[in-house]
Amino acid sequence: MQRTASQRLADLLSGLCVLVLLCGLPLLPLAPALAYFHFQDPASIRFDQLMATFAYDTDDGLGNLLQIILWEAWQSPDRAVLALFLLLTGVCGGIILVQGIRILSSVSDGTPFLPQNAVYLRRAARPCFLITAGAAGRTLFTLCREGASALLSYTALFVPVSIMFGLLFLVMSALFHQAAELKAENDLTI
């Protein structure tokens, strides 16, 4: 049987989601290191100095990185809040991608209007609202420490965007649920 254009597109999108998930999950433990280096003076960090950490002994370089991830990134409140926010968004993004892969696989099979797809969309909405809560918390933390300039940060932008995506997922969930009910009634009609 000939596959439709939407089924081929679902295959492509599903493959891209798997690729992003496989590339992103190994990097997730490095989020505290990113938070650590974010608050360093850019003039004091040079690429050759970072590479010198690994030049002589890989064990020492990995030990230094592990020390940054497990200890030094959590010593400052600013670093700790950023590290927690990055970990939260990474985990939530992975959950959203897994739900998207499940939906795309049903589209690829030619059965997009399953009741289970409505459940997957509701499951994808929850992480969006968690990202909203995390972004609001980090924005409030930064607002208390730095003042009104925190409202112009990228984290403050996460609040309305993630709320919008969460609500969109809930609306799509209701639409898929209704479409699944109509399809079930239509299948019973002869």
Side-chain angles (χ1 to χ4, degrees), residues 8-114:
R8 289 191 304 266
L9 181 63
D11 288 336
L12 174 69
L13 291 175
S14 181
L16 289 174
C17 286
V18 168
L19 181 68
V20 168
L21 193 62
L22 291 178
C23 291
L25 283 181
L27 296 176
L28 191 59
L30 296 176
L34 181 64
Y36 173 79
F37 287 115
H38 176 75
F39 287 103
Q40 297 296 317
D41 180 24
S44 69
I45 299 176
R46 293 192 346 235
F47 183 73
D48 58 339
Q49 289 174 337
L50 289 175
M51 291 309 294
T53 304
F54 296 98
Y56 297 109
D57 191 3
T58 305
D59 293 338
D60 289 344
L62 292 177
N64 291 342
L65 183 63
L66 197 59
Q67 180 181 357
I68 288 171
I69 291 171
L70 295 177
W71 178 253
E72 292 180 24
W74 305 99
Q75 296 306 306
S76 163
D78 292 331
R79 290 184 204 152
V81 169
L82 178 60
L84 285 173
F85 177 68
L86 292 174
L87 288 170
L88 175 75
T89 55
V91 169
C92 289
I95 293 169
I96 292 169
L97 282 172
V98 167
Q99 302 309 315
I101 291 168
R102 289 176 174 172
I103 293 168
L104 288 169
S105 69
S106 72
V107 172
S108 178
D109 293 341
T111 56
F113 299 115
L114 296 175

Side-chain angles (χ1 to χ4, degrees), residues 113-190:
F113 299 115
L114 296 175
Q116 194 62 30
N117 282 347
V119 174
Y120 296 150
L121 284 165
R122 272 196 310 276
R123 286 183 190 164
R126 290 181 194 136
C128 289
F129 295 129
L130 279 175
I131 291 171
T132 300
R138 180 163 189 263
T139 301
L140 287 175
F141 175 81
T142 310
L143 187 65
C144 291
R145 292 182 66 93
E146 296 177 13
S149 65
L151 297 175
L152 301 175
S153 69
Y154 69 92
T155 309
L157 183 64
F158 271 85
V159 175
V161 170
S162 56
I163 284 177
M164 181 183 65
F165 277 113
L167 292 174
L168 180 67
F169 283 143
L170 289 177
V171 168
M172 292 295 291
S173 171
L175 288 174
F176 267 76
H177 182 72
Q178 185 68 31
E181 286 180 355
L182 290 173
K183 184 181 180 310
E185 286 180 17
N186 192 22
D187 288 344
L188 293 176
T189 305
I190 297 179

